[in-house]
Amino acid sequence: MAAPVGPIGILCIRKTLNQGRSYGFISGLGAATADAIYGSIAALGLTIISQFLIKQANWINLFGAIFLLYLAYVTFRAPVSNNIEKDHDKGNYFKTFGTTLFLTLTNPLTIVSFIGIFAGMNIGSVSGSSVYLVLGVFMGSAIWWLLLSSFVGLFRKMISSESMKLINTISGLILFGFGIYSLYKAYKGLF
């Protein structure tokens, strides 16, 4: 479920190119953690929470859309640097992780996907299997983000400052597009 490149993938790629592989991977771990949270809710049958999230999906999506638009703005204005040592400020790992965790959690319809997958696999009837499946969801997602950030990181040193500026502009436009689309979907669902 993590493999399609959407807004989270764009953020991971951009973080990797701007700040290095570790930042790209930490960014992806935020998404993997959110997937594990939603997977846990679905697998453990926490119907009250999942029903609440599904009922409030439009409001949560609205917050996610606004956050995407904010990220697009920040991406457009991001300074460009190819100095790898300068970019490795350890204090920003938590912020990087939190950004993608929050953004991924603003898509509560992910839980519907997990409910469908777990129901199709008849997880509720097998004792303890839901814990292994949630762990598998987290590990699979984490491995995907590790592979993506490692692959993209191979090209980091080959990219000039001018190319990085273009990548930031394109990334900002893509995030803006996702933000507008999410805003439209949230508005349509609310009104």
Side-chain angles (χ1 to χ4, degrees):
M1 290 179 63
V5 179
I8 302 299
I10 298 298
L11 286 175
C12 180
I13 290 168
R14 188 181 159 279
K15 280 288 182 187
T16 302
L17 290 174
N18 278 333
Q19 294 173 291
R21 291 179 190 160
S22 60
Y23 275 91
F25 180 59
I26 294 294
S27 178
L29 281 181
T33 302
D35 287 344
I37 290 169
Y38 278 150
S40 297
I41 292 170
L44 299 175
L46 301 175
T47 57
I48 294 172
I49 295 172
S50 59
Q51 287 175 358
F52 171 79
L53 290 171
I54 291 168
K55 286 180 184 175
Q56 301 304 318
N58 290 318
W59 287 107
I60 296 170
N61 283 335
L62 178 64
F63 289 115
I66 292 168
F67 192 61
L68 271 172
L69 293 172
Y70 166 75
L71 289 175
Y73 172 76
V74 169
T75 300
F76 280 127
R77 296 185 40 86
V80 175
S81 171
N82 280 350
N83 186 349
I84 294 171
E85 283 74 29
K86 180 183 163 214
D87 290 341
H88 283 280
D89 177 10
K90 302 283 187 227
N92 287 328
Y93 281 151
F94 184 74
K95 180 180 174 185
T96 297
F97 176 86
T99 298
T100 53
L101 174 68
F102 176 76
L103 187 58
T104 307
L105 287 174
T106 62
N107 185 10
L109 294 180
T110 302
I111 199 168
V112 175
S113 301
F114 282 118
I115 290 170
I117 291 168
F118 292 173
M121 297 176 76
N122 203 17
I123 293 301
S125 66
V126 183
S127 176
S129 62
S130 58
V131 174
Y132 293 118
L133 192 58
V134 170
L135 183 61
V137 164
F138 176 78
M139 293 301 295
S141 185
I143 289 169
W144 163 252
W145 296 116
L146 177 64
L147 291 173
L148 181 65
S149 60
S150 295
F151 179 74
V152 171
L154 295 173
F155 301 101
R156 183 170 187 240
K157 291 181 182 177
M158 294 182 242
I159 296 175
S160 67
S161 294
E162 294 80 25
S163 297
M164 220 35 236
K165 182 68 175 160
L166 179 63
I167 289 169
N168 281 350
T169 301
I170 292 169
S171 297
L173 286 171
I174 292 170
L175 291 172
F176 182 77
F178 277 119
I180 293 295
Y181 178 71
S182 296
L183 194 61
Y184 170 74
K185 278 183 21 183
Y187 177 80
K188 190 175 168 184
L190 289 170
F191 304 105

